[in-house]
Amino acid sequence: MRYSLKKIQTTLGIDNNADANEMLEIDEVIKLLAKAVEQEGVKEKLKERCLFDFEERGETVKVRPIVKCDAFLKRAIETKTIDEEIECLESLTVPEEVVTGTEYQQKYLRGCLCHITDDEEKRPKVNRTILKKLASLTKETVSADFSGHILGPYGSIPLISALAGHPSLTTLDLSWNDLREETLPALTSLVASTPHLTSLSLASNRYLAATAGRVLLLIVKQNKNITEMDITGCNIPVYHAKKMSAMFFLRSVMGVK
């Protein structure tokens, strides 16, 4: 990933005599910032927005990105001014967990930070309550309740992706989260990669309808560990709902896989 020197300088409000075509590698960006931080307001701007960390030893200033992710740096530096980017990315107000948080906090935050799109409505925002709940989630956790947060179709994807592959989780509640068709690929991956998951609640996600019915039925068919899926309050077609109910009955009561 390379970055436009002119855009970086314009964003930071520093010397703007750059060659419009000059592109910098990330290491060169960091060197530029190390020189620029002595200018009034630049260091404070970057520290406030937690884009970069600074270490001072005498007259030497060392700079490092807080989030070592090219996609994040592209959003934070190249695409917009810092102020505009912060307005769109509320998640930058909780940067500590990106580096020092638990495994699941880091996965969730990076899922939010690294989702690049020009459509503001599709940009996942960090939910602080979710972040706090993830702090107590360990690899030994068997039941997780993330219901009632109205995360939306894009806000829910980083959470679902962060939980995928959990080694112990058996019960997961994602009800009342405004899940929609856009969430289905993440749900498919979650169930397929989480070996002990047996119960999944998707209740009261009313925009899960015909397409979701087909996908969820396929998920149940392909993942024989699933014995319960609550779709109460969704708009899943009756045909698919009955099919799933029949499979759950055979699995839980008669032991048929």
Side-chain angles (χ1 to χ4, degrees):
M1 184 73 71
R2 295 170 66 82
Y3 305 91
S4 163
L5 173 58
K6 187 172 184 179
K7 284 188 177 181
I8 293 169
Q9 291 186 333
T10 301
T11 298
L12 297 178
I14 58 179
D15 178 21
N16 198 26
N17 296 321
D19 180 343
N21 297 319
E22 186 172 356
M23 303 296 289
L24 303 181
E25 299 289 350
I26 184 57
D27 289 343
E28 297 173 302
V29 173
I30 292 174
K31 289 178 183 178
L32 172 66
L33 293 174
K35 295 178 181 178
V37 292
E38 298 306 321
Q39 298 189 35
E40 185 176 355
V42 172
K43 181 175 178 179
E44 288 70 22
K45 183 184 292 187
L46 290 170
K47 287 185 73 173
E48 281 174 12
R49 289 151 179 78
C50 302
L51 297 176
F52 291 86
D53 190 24
F54 300 86
E55 179 184 354
E56 298 186 44
R57 293 181 179 176
E59 297 181 355
T60 303
V61 178
K62 291 187 177 181
V63 186
R64 70 178 181 87
I66 284 184
V67 183
K68 296 180 179 179
C69 169
D70 277 347
F72 168 77
L73 291 171
K74 176 179 173 62
R75 291 184 62 173
I77 297 176
E78 185 180 19
T79 59
K80 296 192 174 192
T81 67
I82 289 178
D83 287 333
E84 288 174 335
E85 189 63 21
I86 294 304
E87 188 175 338
C88 296
L89 268 182
E90 295 177 357
S91 49
L92 289 182
T93 60
V94 286
E96 295 84 2
E97 290 88 346
V98 175
V99 177
T100 63
T102 67
E103 175 185 350
Y104 296 101
Q105 283 181 314
Q106 290 188 32
K107 285 182 178 180
Y108 172 61
L109 281 171
R110 285 172 178 153
C112 293
L113 293 171
C114 299
H115 185 86
I116 300 177
T117 175
D118 292 329
D119 189 338
E120 188 173 341
E121 291 185 359
K122 294 182 179 180
R123 291 182 176 181
K125 294 180 172 61
V126 170
N127 183 296
R128 293 175 181 275
T129 306
I130 293 292
L131 196 62
K132 289 178 181 178
K133 286 187 175 182
L134 286 171
S136 60
L137 189 78
T138 69
K139 290 185 177 180
E140 289 72 39
T141 301
V142 296
S143 180
D145 183 352
F146 294 100
S147 62
H149 295 290
I150 319 297
L151 296 173
Y154 301 101
S156 59
I157 291 173
L159 171 62
I160 295 170
S161 299
L163 297 173
H166 193 286
S168 306
L169 202 61
T170 61
T171 303
L172 177 60
D173 190 345
L174 295 173
S175 59
W176 291 98
N177 271 306
D178 192 25
L179 306 185
R180 306 191 185 194
E181 290 183 9
E182 294 85 353
T183 320
L184 294 173
L187 283 173
T188 301
S189 177
L190 166 75
V191 177
S193 63
T194 309
H196 298 290
L197 187 65
T198 59
S199 177
L200 176 63
S201 177
L202 302 174
S204 299
N205 288 293
R206 62 192 180 95
Y207 291 105
L208 292 180
T211 299
R214 292 191 293 271
V215 173
L216 294 176
L217 179 58
L218 185 60
I219 287 175
V220 173
K221 284 181 177 179
Q222 293 179 342
N223 298 276
K224 302 186 187 306
N225 52 303
I226 296 292
T227 59
E228 180 182 2
M229 184 181 291
D230 188 355
I231 53 173
T232 307
C234 300
N235 283 298
I236 304 298
V238 173
Y239 170 80
H240 297 112
K242 286 184 175 180
K243 278 275 191 178
M244 286 188 278
S245 295
M247 282 188 279
F248 293 147
F249 174 78
L250 292 173
R251 288 175 187 178
S252 61
V253 178
M254 303 181 68
V256 176
K257 296 295 185 182

